[in-house]
Amino acid sequence: MYSILADTMFFPPERSSVAGTVDGLFDFIYYLSLFFFVLVVGFMIYFVLKYYQRPGHTETPSPSHNEALEITWSIIPSILVGVIFFFGFTEYLNMREAPENSYEIQVIANKWNWLFRYPNGAESSDLHIPVDRDVKFLLQSQDVLHSFYIPAFRIKMDCVPGRYTWTWARATDTTGSGIDDSSHDPFHLFCAEYCGQKHSQMRALVYVHETADFELWVEKAANILENNTPEEAGEILFKRKGCAQCHSLDGDNSAKYAGPPLNGQWGTDRQVLPRGSSSPITVKMDENYVRQSIRQPNAEIVVGRKPGMTVFTPQLLKDEEITAIIAYLKTLK
Amino acid sequence: MSTITPETQIDSGHNDDPSSNYLTSSSGFMSWAFTLDHKRIGVMYLVGIFGSFFLGGVLALLLRLHLLVPNGLFGDWVSLDRYNQLFTLHGAVMTFLFIIPSIPAALGNFVLPLMVGAKDVAFPRMNLASFHLWVFGAIFFLIALVTTGLDTGWTFYTPYSIETQTNVIAATIGAFILGFSSIFTGLNFIVTVNTMRPPGMTWFKMPLFMWAIYATAIIQILATPILGITLLLLMGERILGIGIFDPSMGGDPVLFQHFFWFYSHPAVYIMILPAMGIMSELMSVYSRKPIFGYTFIAYSSIAIALLGFLVWGHHMFVSGQSPMAAVIFSGLTFSVSIPSAIKVFNWTATMYKGNINLATPMCYALSFIFLFTIGGLTGLFLGALATDIHLHDTYFVVAHFHYVMMGGTVIAFVGGLYHWWPKIFGVMYNEFFGRLFCAVVFFGFNLTFLPQFVMGSRGMPRRYATYVDEYQIYHVLSTIGALTLGIGMVGAIAVLVISLFNGRKAPANPWGAATLEWTCTSPPPYYNFAHAPHVGSPYDYSDLKYDARIGGYVKDPNASKTTPPDQH
């Protein structure tokens, strides 16, 4: 009966199979806490009003301890926190183990974007999932700690470099219909573990599709190179792989962007510092330079910039995808 | 008989004029910088700590202002990088330079030996060294601040802290040195309490502030070395690339979190236990009632100190640790909530049938109960695994620990400072303004942090320089609250500072407290006590009567109830 209040003040809407239980536990603790808070502060205010120092008022002797009372107020809270603990961990165990036959999506976190890889090879920078189906997220990080957090689903798990972690969710509501993003009202996905400069911008959107829509979407997403011109495919990949996080396309050369701007650069000369060297050399921005900058970004750093770009291995970015990105870079004026 | 008599303390360097006190007994920079007097060291700590508090507070206000609008108020001036440095340095300065040393090193140093009726702490030179180390540590923090900053968060999580270009080394050296300062203080207090209590002061006749400081000292000397080793390993990792924490060299980043929280969770109790000790003193003195349930409060301090070592894993419920570990840490976490709850009940019960003096320290004590209860209860949401998954690393956590650390420790610290101010400096402050700014602090504090519970539960992650529009309303409220809180804090400190110039001279015992520090003059003489103080019950107020001529309390020789004669 209080859930209306709880829904409006605390918590975003419940959009996964576990959200209701989590919110229920939250409400239970909330009302229990409210009770004890009112009790303690109520007594405190009552005592202050009744016993404040004023002319003619003095303290009255009373026992300075009372074993029965003290044992009671130790044991009752102990039992109550025991109950909270019990509900907390039983639901947690359910949240930790993905059901059998879950649809598995690989989540690759790097500074500062998300890459979602679907079983058919499709990739995306926003998350797309089918409704009413258990989805297991296999999490990994390419660089530092990140944390995969979808408030609407009440799930969160760190992405730890060097090991796999996982979590799962079953979405209970779609965010819209059709495979066109604009017809959806997606949920937020946040990075919840501090990961450096653009931590707060390491956000993505979560689209929940009808099953049939999802099949269509994932099929189309799997074949960008085939279904698009190299330039178009390059543009999709440029955004999807997070290049736009650090490279401006409007010539903005400020520290807002960790990397140098990329528009109008094709074929120009640039000053770079080879690794371990202190004197810059001049290189031309051509196919080989771009390819090396993606595969070994720290080998030659543009003067005035710091090393820090994710190393894009062939597992993260295939050769033909680099070719498409190069085609796209050539179009940037 | 081991009482201290003035004859044993002849020191030609000091003024033996009976009207002189520790502030006036000698003068000059050197007489302060190299003093062995615990009172002067306490006062120097007080100055240093308030400098740090001011710095941390200014950083806090800057970052709150920045968050007024979703994309950052200051635009390019506070870029993403600079915001990350702001919150990191706010956290690091407040934690390492301010809140950990605040009560033990400043108030504890001043009050504890007086409470024991002793001339000084057990190791005065070590005490001085502790302060000098604090200064060195602070210098390294300032070096980090003015060079390239620090942007790792105060937790220095790997592998980010290994690869960031900011000055992690200076900051970790600073924290390492501060660790020694903390250990020295803790060691000193343990030995002081163990060996220097006067005849008649049995363990269960000690003031509860001493119990709290003692429990804190246990944590300081057992947990702090872990931090030192962890920071050394981190430095080794950065400089030499050992490969302990760096996954690209086969290391384990979660191992760092285990090491770090193995210190830093107990450190939370270094921060809050002394505050609880102050609360026990204030509630009793200003209610004029013996503290309710002395034994339970004393034992709960020790219980918190010991259980506090077993719960570090609750910082890592979503780090990928095994579900079994998470369940065990969750259970242990709840166990540590019980001793805290007991204390709150006891403090409240102490007021029953009392004669409650709503002086400024009591106003802070009442604030503490209100705020700490919220802080403690919101911990239940974070200790429960299913709800923690959602709330972890959101503003809910930020609000929770500020309610505990600031609503708890800082409020108690300021309350304790007001309480002992007449003793420390021998002047009375203005009660009206004292209470007024206490109310401003209380209001500003709640306005700052209550909205953070709501936005955190709605999914706003912490450490975000920019955010999605729907959270703006809570950030606006929070920022207005922070500005109010800032005004309140500056006002509260100003009331004290102004009293140094125009305050009425303080009597020896303005509040009618029964602990020993109130039996010496205000401010205390250089050697603390002219005569060995008589040890009675620390919470028996029956023989103290208000004397309007001196504006303070005096022993009533005609009191019907007399304490038992000394056994020695």
Side-chain angles (χ1 to χ4, degrees):
Chain A
M1 83 181 137
Y2 297 109
S3 60
I4 298 165
L5 177 69
D7 273 354
T8 49
M9 187 166 160
F10 298 101
F11 282 121
E14 297 164 2
R15 293 291 181 256
S16 77
S17 55
V18 299
T21 323
V22 171
D23 294 10
L25 178 62
F26 184 96
D27 290 349
F28 173 70
I29 305 173
Y30 179 71
Y31 290 109
L32 198 67
S33 299
L34 207 57
F35 172 77
F36 276 96
F37 178 72
V38 169
L39 192 75
V40 168
V41 172
F43 267 111
M44 178 181 96
I45 293 171
Y46 173 73
F47 288 159
V48 169
L49 293 178
K50 188 145 192 249
Y51 303 118
Y52 72 92
Q53 199 172 72
R54 54 196 183 269
H57 177 80
T58 54
E59 64 273 22
T60 330
S62 63
S64 65
H65 63 95
N66 180 333
E67 299 271 320
L69 178 65
E70 292 179 71
I71 289 171
T72 309
W73 76 32
S74 310
I75 289 180
I76 291 177
S78 303
I79 294 170
L80 290 172
V81 297
V83 172
I84 295 173
F85 163 65
F86 178 78
F87 286 129
F89 96 77
T90 47
E91 182 55 19
Y92 168 80
L93 293 181
N94 177 32
M95 294 164 79
R96 284 291 281 122
E97 284 311 315
E100 299 264 324
N101 302 321
S102 299
Y103 183 78
E104 191 170 294
I105 297 176
Q106 285 190 56
V107 179
I108 300 154
N110 57 45
K111 292 187 292 188
W112 290 276
N113 72 305
W114 298 97
L115 180 69
F116 303 100
R117 188 175 286 155
Y118 303 83
N120 71 344
E123 292 181 342
S124 66
S125 57
D126 286 321
L127 177 63
H128 294 256
I129 57 170
V131 72
D132 283 331
R133 179 157 184 200
D134 299 325
V135 180
K136 180 177 178 179
F137 302 101
L138 189 64
L139 311 170
Q140 52 179 306
S141 165
Q142 296 291 325
D143 36 48
V144 298
L145 294 171
H146 301 280
S147 192
F148 175 82
Y149 177 32
I150 304 176
F153 294 169
R154 314 288 189 269
I155 59 168
K156 182 183 292 128
M157 181 55 73
D158 283 1
C159 309
V160 182
R163 69 164 78 161
Y164 292 99
T165 53
W166 58 87
T167 183
W168 72 278
R170 189 168 80 234
T172 52
D173 300 81
T174 59
T175 52
S177 58
I179 62 167
D180 184 11
D181 288 355
S182 62
S183 59
H184 283 255
D185 184 16
F187 307 134
H188 294 297
L189 187 158
F190 295 124
C191 174
E193 184 66 81
Y194 176 70
C195 57
Q197 189 196 32
K198 292 199 175 177
H199 168 54
S200 58
Q201 285 159 17
M202 189 167 159
R203 307 194 283 245
L205 296 170
V206 181
Y207 296 88
V208 185
H209 298 272
E210 292 292 353
T211 309
D213 287 346
F214 180 75
E215 300 296 340
L216 277 176
W217 178 88
V218 79
E219 193 52 40
K220 185 160 182 272
N223 299 306
I224 343 170
L225 292 173
E226 290 85 344
N227 294 344
N228 297 284
T229 63
E231 289 80 6
E232 285 167 356
E235 182 172 6
I236 295 170
L237 288 165
F238 187 85
K239 290 179 181 142
R240 181 169 295 175
K241 302 291 179 178
C243 313
Q245 291 285 340
C246 299
H247 295 283
S248 83
L249 300 177
D250 56 5
D252 186 345
N253 201 18
S254 71
K256 234 162 74 182
Y257 293 92
L262 293 179
N263 56 316
Q265 302 288 311
W266 193 261
T268 60
D269 285 342
R270 46 180 54 205
Q271 299 288 311
V272 297
L273 275 176
R275 186 183 353 224
S277 159
S278 57
S279 50
I281 58 167
T282 304
V283 295
K284 187 163 174 236
M285 175 145 163
D286 59 10
E287 282 83 352
N288 282 319
Y289 172 77
V290 171
R291 201 185 125 81
Q292 177 188 276
S293 300
I294 292 173
R295 288 277 187 249
Q296 301 162 274
N298 298 330
E300 290 178 343
I301 304 295
V302 173
V303 171
R305 299 286 170 173
K306 294 172 193 156
M309 179 170 148
T310 306
V311 177
F312 283 86
T313 57
Q315 183 225 4
L316 265 183
L317 197 63
K318 300 185 198 67
D319 276 348
E320 54 268 35
E321 292 174 326
I322 294 180
T323 310
I325 286 174
I326 287 170
Y328 170 63
L329 291 180
K330 285 181 184 170
T331 69
L332 294 171
K333 294 289 173 260
Chain B
M1 165 162 175
S2 65
T3 44
I4 310 292
T5 57
E7 288 75 19
T8 63
Q9 301 161 343
I10 290 168
D11 177 344
S12 57
H14 288 89
N15 189 339
D16 288 331
D17 175 359
S19 69
S20 93
N21 58 55
Y22 81 99
L23 292 166
T24 56
S25 61
S26 59
S27 61
F29 176 79
M30 299 301 272
S31 78
W32 280 84
F34 294 97
T35 181
L36 298 180
D37 181 6
H38 69 98
K39 300 183 289 301
R40 285 194 170 191
I41 294 171
V43 169
M44 288 192 293
Y45 258 122
L46 207 54
V47 172
I49 275 160
F50 270 99
S52 313
F53 186 47
F54 182 75
L55 175 64
V58 167
L59 295 169
L61 286 180
L62 282 175
L63 66 90
R64 279 276 22 123
L65 280 171
H66 172 84
L67 292 171
L68 203 53
V69 296
N71 281 319
L73 183 67
F74 300 120
D76 283 347
W77 186 76
V78 176
S79 61
L80 296 176
D81 286 327
R82 212 168 261 144
Y83 176 85
N84 294 338
Q85 295 180 12
L86 276 181
F87 82 71
T88 297
L89 288 162
H90 165 70
V93 167
M94 285 297 199
T95 308
F96 293 115
L97 285 179
F98 169 65
I99 203 160
I100 287 180
S102 62
I103 299 177
L107 287 180
N109 241 323
F110 194 95
V111 172
L112 192 83
L114 289 164
M115 270 187 169
V116 187
K119 175 195 162 202
D120 210 316
V121 292
F123 305 122
R125 283 188 172 78
M126 189 187 240
N127 201 20
L128 178 65
S130 156
F131 177 69
H132 288 167
L133 286 172
W134 182 89
V135 173
F136 282 123
I139 288 171
F140 276 97
F141 265 85
L142 291 178
I143 289 173
L145 177 71
V146 300
T147 55
T148 51
L150 178 72
D151 71 344
T152 59
W154 77 277
T155 53
F156 302 111
Y157 270 14
T158 55
Y160 185 74
S161 57
I162 298 167
E163 60 171 61
T164 174
Q165 307 287 316
T166 55
N167 208 337
V168 175
I169 295 292
T172 45
I173 290 175
F176 185 80
I177 295 171
L178 290 168
F180 275 95
S181 167
S182 186
I183 291 170
F184 283 10
T185 303
L187 200 59
N188 231 328
F189 289 162
I190 285 190
V191 177
T192 305
V193 171
N194 276 346
T195 65
M196 296 176 74
R197 279 175 294 122
M201 188 185 281
T202 58
W203 281 90
F204 289 94
K205 272 190 166 183
M206 286 194 331
L208 286 164
F209 183 63
M210 283 173 61
W211 271 100
I213 292 284
Y214 191 81
T216 307
I218 292 174
I219 309 177
Q220 283 177 305
I221 62 171
L222 292 184
T224 315
I226 314 288
L227 177 73
I229 292 164
T230 310
L231 294 176
L232 279 184
L233 288 174
L234 178 61
M235 284 184 249
E237 192 81 353
R238 258 186 90 91
I239 299 167
L240 307 170
I242 304 170
I244 294 173
F245 303 130
D246 187 348
S248 66
M249 288 182 282
D252 181 0
V254 179
L255 179 66
F256 178 85
Q257 298 178 25
H258 279 286
F259 282 170
F260 182 82
W261 289 113
F262 190 80
Y263 163 75
S264 292
H265 195 81
V268 171
Y269 300 106
I270 297 179
M271 307 178 210
I272 191 68
L273 269 171
M276 293 171 158
I278 290 181
M279 279 300 293
S280 300
E281 301 303 318
L282 299 187
M283 292 310 290
S284 173
V285 170
Y286 293 93
S287 302
R288 291 191 66 75
K289 291 287 289 182
I291 188 84
F292 188 86
Y294 175 98
T295 326
F296 270 66
I297 298 185
Y299 280 133
S300 67
S301 290
I302 303 297
I304 289 172
L306 299 180
L307 292 172
F309 277 98
L310 307 178
V311 303
W312 78 92
H314 70 211
H315 295 267
M316 297 151 65
F317 284 161
V318 300
S319 72
Q321 73 179 353
S322 76
M324 174 64 99
V327 170
I328 291 170
F329 281 124
S330 169
L332 290 167
T333 299
F334 282 113
S335 74
V336 82
S337 67
I338 300 301
S340 308
I342 290 172
K343 282 183 194 269
V344 172
F345 297 145
N346 277 308
W347 294 325
T348 313
T350 301
M351 292 192 283
Y352 178 62
K353 290 193 174 176
N355 189 17
I356 299 169
N357 176 8
L358 290 172
T360 310
M362 186 59 170
C363 295
Y364 280 99
L366 297 171
S367 287
F368 177 100
I369 291 186
F370 185 99
L371 303 173
F372 182 74
T373 304
I374 294 179
L377 289 169
T378 50
L380 299 176
F381 298 87
L382 300 169
L385 285 162
T387 42
D388 180 71
I389 300 289
H390 175 65
L391 299 170
H392 198 93
D393 271 327
T394 67
Y395 264 82
F396 193 94
V397 178
V398 177
H400 161 72
F401 76 67
H402 278 90
Y403 263 90
V404 176
M405 296 289 92
M406 176 145 198
T409 306
V410 178
I411 293 292
F413 176 52
V414 178
L417 190 60
Y418 269 90
H419 176 66
W420 279 299
W421 191 261
K423 181 58 62 187
I424 298 175
F425 293 108
V427 289
M428 301 300 290
Y429 52 82
N430 183 304
E431 272 297 349
F432 172 78
F433 284 105
R435 286 181 224 173
L436 175 73
F437 284 110
C438 175
V440 176
V441 166
F442 179 78
F443 174 76
F445 181 86
N446 283 296
L447 185 57
T448 309
F449 295 107
L450 275 179
Q452 297 188 1
F453 283 121
V454 179
M455 76 168 134
S457 75
R458 297 189 73 82
M460 170 79 205
R462 62 197 281 213
R463 299 178 162 177
Y464 262 31
T466 62
Y467 53 89
V468 294
D469 296 352
E470 65 196 64
Y471 299 116
Q472 189 179 8
I473 175 68
Y474 309 108
H475 280 293
V476 170
L477 290 174
S478 188
T479 301
I480 296 171
L483 293 171
T484 314
L485 178 57
I487 292 169
M489 273 295 169
V490 169
I493 306 305
V495 168
L496 291 176
V497 172
I498 289 169
S499 77
L500 292 177
F501 303 101
N502 68 2
R504 172 169 66 82
K505 186 174 176 346
N509 191 357
W511 314 121
T515 41
L516 295 181
E517 75 273 25
W518 301 100
T519 60
C520 69
T521 53
S522 303
Y526 179 71
Y527 292 122
N528 293 354
F529 297 96
H531 308 284
H534 168 82
V535 178
S537 161
Y539 302 110
D540 177 10
Y541 307 107
S542 56
D543 59 345
L544 289 161
K545 291 285 168 279
Y546 188 71
D547 183 340
R549 281 171 306 150
I550 59 167
Y553 287 77
V554 288
K555 282 264 188 218
D556 180 2
N558 303 321
S560 54
K561 183 169 177 287
T562 51
T563 46
D566 273 356
Q567 301 301 310
H568 56 272

